[in-house]
Every structure is written in C-alpha cells, then in structure tokens.
Amino acid sequence: MTVSAHVPVAGHPAEDVQVVGGRQRTGVLLLIVADAAFVGALVFSYFYLRGLNTSGAWITQGMHTATIWVGWLIGLIAVASAWCYRSGVNALRTGKIGGLIGGAGIALALVLLDSVVQIIQLASLPFKPDANAYASCVYTLAGANLFHLLLTAVIGVGIWNRARLGRYVATNPWQVEIVAIWWNWIAVAAIAGAVTTSFIASPNVGG
C-alpha cells in the first residue's frame, strides 16, 4: 500500500493594499459615472419637456405642483449626512476609531431620516405619476433619489457595524474612503434634484 503526501503549494503573494484600494476606487468612480449619466438624463428630460411644453402637456391647467422646499430639505439632509460621514473618515485617519463609529452612525441616521422624508413626499404628492410630463419627471427623480438613499443606508449599516467591531485601522482606510466618495455623490445628486424641480413653470406657455 502506497501513501502519498500532499505538499501544499505556496499561493501568490498578497497584493499591495494601495493597489487593491486603487482598483476598488476606480470601480466605484465608474459606477458613479454611470449613475451620473442616468441622473443627468433625468435632469435633461425634465428641462427638455418643460421647455418644449407640447400642447401645454407640461402641467395640466389648475393642477397643484410639488412643494419646492421639501426637495431642498431632502437635499440638505443628504449633504449633512455626507459631511458627518466625512468627519468620521477624517477621525479614522488620526487613529480615532470612535470618531468613525460616531460619524458613520450619525450619517446613517440622517440617511434613514432622509429616506423617510422622501417616502412621505412621494406619498403626499398632489398628483399621480401619469398626470402629465411634469408629474412623471418629479416621480422619477424622487424615486431615483430614494433608491440612492436606501442603497447608501445598506452600505452605511455595514460600515458602522464593521467600525464597531474594530475592523478598520488608520493605516488602511481605503474602504471607508471609497464609501465616502459614493456618499458625497448621493448628496450631489439630491441637490441636483432639488435645483431641477425648483423650476416649474414652462417658459413656452403657448406650446
């Protein structure tokens, strides 16, 4: 009877943290570029339909419109959330893991609050999505923003929990910094939506 011994073969050496982090950052940036193209298309559609106003189909006569300040409230909460998260990342860079836990926790709470406000806005809009071109655009922009917020909330839970478990260190902050890029983007997208929906009346009244 012959017994053969299995000799383990050494694997490839682990890649440098900077190389892996740079690759992941590029992936997130490409994701943001793709998402920015989508948001840009929504903004373009809004202003295109508003300017065209074919047969007065932009806003039906006598129809109530969305309250502008609610959109700005949603955008400003998103900005505050991104700022809190960035503060947590800066704290990690100085070795203060508690700062990351606190910053990410507050940022997550604000994102959840913003999601609730966005849902309330969608539920209380004084028109249906198929009412006219304006209504369709508002619902689509709000829905896209809600998707951003919910996705960020899921990511935020993961970051906060890992920070709580001590999985991050000042010498390797790549993951939290990459998430900060996404967090900043959703704040920019929310403000873009607020700016866009602040322009309601069509300049082409006789369209």
Side-chain angles (χ1 to χ4, degrees):
M1 180 177 180
T2 304
V3 178
S4 59
H6 174 70
V7 180
V9 179
H12 296 288
E15 290 185 286
D16 184 81
V17 172
Q18 300 298 323
V19 174
V20 176
R23 185 185 302 130
Q24 292 176 348
R25 179 175 61 186
T26 299
V28 171
L29 289 175
L30 290 175
L31 172 63
I32 291 174
V33 168
D35 192 53
F38 172 68
V39 173
L42 295 182
V43 171
F44 173 80
S45 298
Y46 183 98
F47 283 109
Y48 177 77
L49 293 172
R50 172 179 173 269
L52 201 61
N53 192 26
T54 303
S55 301
W58 172 241
I59 296 180
T60 307
Q61 187 174 7
M63 189 195 82
H64 294 288
T65 58
T67 306
I68 293 177
W69 69 264
V70 176
W72 280 101
L73 175 62
I74 292 170
L76 292 175
I77 293 176
V79 170
S81 177
W83 183 86
C84 290
Y85 184 82
R86 174 56 66 179
S87 298
V89 174
N90 292 337
L92 176 65
R93 288 174 177 170
T94 62
K96 299 176 182 177
I97 187 64
L100 174 62
I101 296 172
I106 296 173
L108 174 60
L110 288 173
V111 162
L112 293 174
L113 171 63
D114 216 12
S115 300
V116 171
V117 176
Q118 183 66 85
I119 291 172
I120 292 174
Q121 184 200 40
L122 278 166
S124 60
L125 287 172
F127 45 77
K128 295 182 178 180
D130 59 351
N132 45 49
Y134 165 78
S136 298
C137 289
V138 169
Y139 267 96
T140 306
L141 282 166
N145 190 57
L146 179 59
F147 174 78
H148 284 156
L149 293 171
L150 293 177
L151 178 59
T152 305
V154 172
I155 296 172
V157 169
I159 291 293
W160 177 82
N161 189 53
R162 287 177 63 84
R164 183 181 61 84
L165 296 174
R167 300 293 177 83
Y168 300 119
V169 292
T171 55
N172 184 17
W174 271 105
Q175 191 174 66
V176 292
E177 289 187 348
I178 290 171
V179 170
I181 298 174
W182 170 261
W183 220 296
N184 289 339
W185 159 241
I186 66 109
V188 171
I191 291 296
V195 172
T196 300
T197 53
S198 293
F199 296 88
I200 298 178
S202 173
N204 186 15
V205 179

